[in-house]
Coordinates of all heavy atoms in Angstrom, one line a residue:
K1 N 0.8 -1.2 0.0 CA 0.0 0.0 0.0 C 0.9 1.3 0.0 O 0.4 2.3 -0.5 CB -0.9 0.1 1.3 CG -1.7 -1.3 1.5 CD -2.7 -1.5 0.5 CE -3.6 -2.7 0.9 NZ -4.5 -3.2 -0.3
N2 N 2.1 1.1 0.5 CA 2.9 2.4 0.8 C 4.2 2.4 0.1 O 4.9 3.3 0.1 CB 3.2 2.5 2.3 CG 2.0 2.3 3.2 OD1 1.0 3.1 3.0 ND2 1.9 1.4 4.0
T3 N 4.6 1.3 -0.6 CA 5.9 1.1 -1.1 C 5.9 1.0 -2.6 O 5.0 0.3 -3.2 CB 6.6 -0.2 -0.5 OG1 6.5 -0.2 0.9 CG2 8.0 -0.3 -0.9
K4 N 6.9 1.7 -3.3 CA 7.0 1.6 -4.7 C 7.5 0.3 -5.2 O 8.5 -0.3 -4.5 CB 7.9 2.7 -5.2 CG 7.3 4.1 -5.1 CD 8.2 5.2 -5.6 CE 7.5 6.6 -5.5 NZ 8.3 7.7 -6.0
L5 N 7.0 -0.2 -6.2 CA 7.4 -1.6 -6.8 C 8.3 -1.3 -8.0 O 8.0 -0.5 -8.8 CB 6.2 -2.4 -7.2 CG 5.2 -2.7 -6.0 CD1 4.1 -3.7 -6.5 CD2 6.0 -3.4 -4.8
Q6 N 9.3 -2.1 -8.0 CA 10.4 -1.9 -9.1 C 10.6 -3.2 -9.9 O 10.5 -4.2 -9.3 CB 11.7 -1.5 -8.3 CG 12.8 -1.1 -9.3 CD 14.0 -0.4 -8.5 OE1 13.7 0.4 -7.6 NE2 15.2 -0.7 -8.9
M7 N 11.0 -3.0 -11.1 CA 11.3 -4.1 -12.0 C 12.6 -3.9 -12.7 O 13.1 -2.8 -12.8 CB 10.2 -4.4 -13.0 CG 10.1 -3.4 -14.1 SD 9.0 -3.9 -15.4 CE 9.8 -5.3 -16.1
L8 N 13.2 -5.0 -13.3 CA 14.4 -4.9 -14.1 C 14.0 -5.3 -15.5 O 13.3 -6.2 -15.8 CB 15.5 -5.9 -13.6 CG 16.8 -5.8 -14.4 CD1 17.5 -4.5 -14.2 CD2 17.7 -7.0 -14.0
F9 N 14.5 -4.5 -16.5 CA 14.0 -4.5 -17.9 C 15.2 -4.5 -18.8 O 16.0 -3.5 -18.7 CB 13.1 -3.3 -18.1 CG 12.2 -3.2 -19.3 CD1 10.9 -3.6 -19.2 CD2 12.7 -2.8 -20.5 CE1 10.1 -3.5 -20.3 CE2 11.9 -2.7 -21.6 CZ 10.6 -3.1 -21.6
R10 N 15.3 -5.4 -19.7 CA 16.5 -5.5 -20.6 C 16.4 -4.6 -21.9 O 16.7 -5.1 -23.0 CB 16.8 -6.9 -21.0 CG 17.0 -7.9 -19.8 CD 17.4 -9.3 -20.2 NE 17.4 -10.2 -19.1 CZ 16.8 -11.4 -19.0 NH1 16.1 -11.8 -20.0 NH2 16.9 -12.1 -17.9
G11 N 15.9 -3.4 -21.7 CA 15.9 -2.5 -22.9 C 15.1 -3.1 -24.0 O 14.0 -3.6 -23.8
Q12 N 15.6 -3.1 -25.2 CA 14.9 -3.6 -26.4 C 14.6 -5.1 -26.3 O 13.8 -5.6 -27.0 CB 15.7 -3.3 -27.7 CG 14.9 -3.1 -28.9 CD 14.0 -1.8 -28.9 OE1 14.4 -0.8 -28.3 NE2 12.8 -1.9 -29.5
N13 N 15.4 -5.8 -25.4 CA 15.1 -7.3 -25.2 C 14.0 -7.5 -24.2 O 13.7 -8.7 -24.0 CB 16.4 -8.0 -24.7 CG 17.5 -8.0 -25.8 OD1 17.3 -7.5 -26.9 ND2 18.7 -8.4 -25.4
I14 N 13.5 -6.5 -23.6 CA 12.4 -6.6 -22.6 C 12.9 -7.5 -21.5 O 13.8 -7.2 -20.7 CB 11.1 -7.0 -23.2 CG1 10.8 -6.1 -24.5 CG2 9.9 -6.8 -22.1 CD1 9.4 -6.4 -25.1
L15 N 12.3 -8.7 -21.4 CA 12.7 -9.7 -20.4 C 13.2 -11.0 -21.1 O 13.4 -12.1 -20.5 CB 11.6 -10.1 -19.4 CG 11.0 -8.9 -18.6 CD1 9.9 -9.3 -17.7 CD2 12.1 -8.2 -17.8
G16 N 13.3 -10.9 -22.5 CA 13.7 -12.0 -23.3 C 15.1 -12.0 -23.7 O 15.9 -11.3 -23.1
Y17 N 15.5 -12.7 -24.7 CA 16.9 -12.8 -25.2 C 17.1 -12.3 -26.6 O 18.2 -12.5 -27.1 CB 17.4 -14.2 -24.9 CG 17.2 -14.7 -23.5 CD1 16.1 -15.5 -23.2 CD2 18.1 -14.3 -22.5 CE1 15.9 -15.9 -21.9 CE2 17.9 -14.7 -21.2 CZ 16.8 -15.4 -20.9 OH 16.6 -15.8 -19.6
R18 N 16.1 -11.6 -27.2 CA 16.4 -11.1 -28.5 C 15.7 -9.7 -28.5 O 14.9 -9.4 -27.7 CB 15.6 -11.9 -29.6 CG 14.1 -11.9 -29.6 CD 13.5 -12.5 -30.8 NE 12.0 -12.5 -30.8 CZ 11.3 -11.6 -31.4 NH1 11.8 -10.4 -31.8 NH2 10.0 -11.7 -31.3
P19 N 16.1 -8.8 -29.5 CA 15.5 -7.5 -29.5 C 14.1 -7.6 -30.1 O 13.8 -8.5 -31.0 CB 16.4 -6.8 -30.5 CG 17.2 -7.7 -31.2 CD 17.2 -9.0 -30.4
Y20 N 13.1 -6.9 -29.6 CA 11.8 -6.9 -30.0 C 11.4 -5.6 -30.7 O 12.1 -4.5 -30.6 CB 10.8 -7.1 -28.8 CG 11.0 -8.4 -28.2 CD1 11.9 -8.7 -27.3 CD2 10.2 -9.5 -28.7 CE1 12.1 -10.0 -26.7 CE2 10.3 -10.8 -28.2 CZ 11.3 -11.0 -27.2 OH 11.5 -12.3 -26.7
A21 N 10.4 -5.6 -31.5 CA 9.9 -4.4 -32.2 C 9.5 -3.4 -31.2 O 9.1 -3.7 -30.1 CB 8.8 -4.7 -33.2
D22 N 9.6 -2.1 -31.6 CA 9.2 -1.0 -30.7 C 7.8 -1.1 -30.2 O 7.5 -0.8 -29.0 CB 9.4 0.4 -31.4 CG 10.8 0.7 -31.6 OD1 11.7 0.2 -30.9 OD2 11.1 1.6 -32.5
D23 N 6.8 -1.6 -31.0 CA 5.5 -1.7 -30.5 C 5.3 -2.7 -29.4 O 4.5 -2.5 -28.4 CB 4.5 -2.0 -31.7 CG 4.7 -3.3 -32.3 OD1 5.8 -3.9 -32.2 OD2 3.7 -3.8 -32.9
V24 N 6.1 -3.7 -29.3 CA 6.0 -4.7 -28.2 C 6.7 -4.1 -27.0 O 6.1 -4.2 -25.9 CB 6.8 -6.0 -28.6 CG1 6.7 -7.0 -27.5 CG2 6.2 -6.6 -29.9
V25 N 7.8 -3.4 -27.2 CA 8.5 -2.7 -26.0 C 7.5 -1.7 -25.4 O 7.3 -1.7 -24.1 CB 9.8 -2.0 -26.4 CG1 10.4 -1.3 -25.3 CG2 10.8 -3.1 -26.9
E26 N 6.8 -0.9 -26.2 CA 5.9 0.1 -25.7 C 4.8 -0.5 -25.0 O 4.4 0.0 -23.9 CB 5.5 1.0 -26.8 CG 6.6 1.9 -27.4 CD 6.3 2.4 -28.8 OE1 5.2 2.0 -29.4 OE2 7.1 3.2 -29.3
Y27 N 4.2 -1.6 -25.5 CA 3.1 -2.2 -24.9 C 3.5 -2.9 -23.6 O 2.6 -2.9 -22.6 CB 2.5 -3.2 -25.9 CG 1.1 -3.7 -25.5 CD1 0.0 -2.8 -25.3 CD2 0.7 -5.1 -25.5 CE1 -1.3 -3.2 -25.0 CE2 -0.5 -5.5 -25.2 CZ -1.5 -4.6 -24.9 OH -2.8 -5.0 -24.6
F28 N 4.6 -3.4 -23.6 CA 5.0 -4.1 -22.3 C 5.2 -3.1 -21.2 O 4.8 -3.3 -20.1 CB 6.4 -4.9 -22.5 CG 6.6 -5.9 -21.4 CD1 6.4 -7.2 -21.7 CD2 7.1 -5.5 -20.1 CE1 6.6 -8.2 -20.7 CE2 7.3 -6.5 -19.2 CZ 7.0 -7.8 -19.4
V29 N 5.8 -1.9 -21.5 CA 5.9 -0.9 -20.5 C 4.6 -0.4 -20.0 O 4.3 -0.2 -18.8 CB 6.8 0.3 -21.1 CG1 6.7 1.5 -20.1 CG2 8.2 -0.1 -21.3
Q30 N 3.7 -0.2 -21.0 CA 2.3 0.3 -20.7 C 1.6 -0.7 -19.7 O 1.0 -0.3 -18.7 CB 1.5 0.3 -22.0 CG 0.0 0.8 -21.8 CD -0.8 0.7 -23.1 OE1 -0.3 0.8 -24.2 NE2 -2.0 0.4 -23.0
K31 N 1.7 -2.0 -20.0 CA 1.0 -3.0 -19.2 C 1.8 -3.2 -17.9 O 1.1 -3.6 -16.8 CB 0.9 -4.4 -19.9 CG -0.1 -4.4 -21.0 CD -1.5 -4.1 -20.4 CE -2.6 -4.1 -21.4 NZ -3.9 -3.7 -20.8

């Protein structure tokens, strides 16, 4: 209720192991 939640994000690779298209990166950040 009171604490900020944080995540680690691999840039264009998101949480995977290859680069993804910009629309996937943007949608992942949004969600």
Side-chain angles (χ1 to χ4, degrees):
K1 311 292 185 189
N2 311 299
T3 310
K4 289 181 178 177
L5 300 186
Q6 184 168 322
M7 73 171 291
L8 183 67
F9 194 98
R10 297 182 190 131
Q12 208 69 30
N13 292 357
I14 311 180
L15 304 177
Y17 302 99
R18 70 165 177 92
Y20 292 87
D22 287 339
D23 65 338
V24 180
V25 175
E26 290 161 355
Y27 194 52
F28 200 100
V29 170
Q30 180 189 327
K31 285 300 180 182

